């Protein structure tokens, strides 16, 4: 299973946090995977001009700490 958010341009930290809490976090308890792989690319960073999602370092830390 792959989960990739198709979020709007400049979605920002709060939108990503909501996606993480409402979509990502419930998946392991429902599907009980043996392994979880996470791709830690730089696409969601606010300096990324192609995707331009508006994420900040503070937003990254908030999710990574969970």
């Amino acid at each position: 299973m792959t989960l990739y958010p198709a979020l709007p341009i400049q979605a920002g930290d709060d939108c990503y946090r909501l996606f993480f809490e409402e979509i990502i976090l419930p998946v392991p308890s429902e599907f009980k995977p043996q392994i979880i792989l996470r791709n830690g690319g730089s696409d969601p960073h606010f300096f990324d001009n192609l995707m331009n999602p508006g994420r900040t370092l503070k937003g990254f830390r908030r999710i990574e700490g969970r």
Side-chain angles (χ1 to χ4, degrees):
M1 167 183 272
T2 300
L3 297 173
Y4 189 84
L7 300 176
I9 291 175
Q10 289 294 318
D13 293 332
D14 290 333
C15 188
Y16 273 85
R17 180 188 49 78
L18 183 63
F19 176 80
F20 186 80
E21 290 174 353
E22 299 292 323
I23 305 297
I24 301 294
L25 285 181
V27 168
S29 62
E30 184 176 339
F31 291 100
K32 310 230 183 315
Q34 293 178 335
I35 188 170
I36 296 174
L37 299 176
R38 179 193 169 276
N39 180 0
S42 60
D43 293 352
H45 193 267
F46 66 92
F47 282 147
D48 183 296
N49 293 324
L50 179 63
M51 205 171 127
N52 199 11
R55 299 259 337 258
T56 64
L57 291 175
K58 184 178 180 179
F60 277 111
R61 287 185 195 109
R62 189 176 2 172
I63 288 178
E64 292 300 321
R66 301 195 73 177

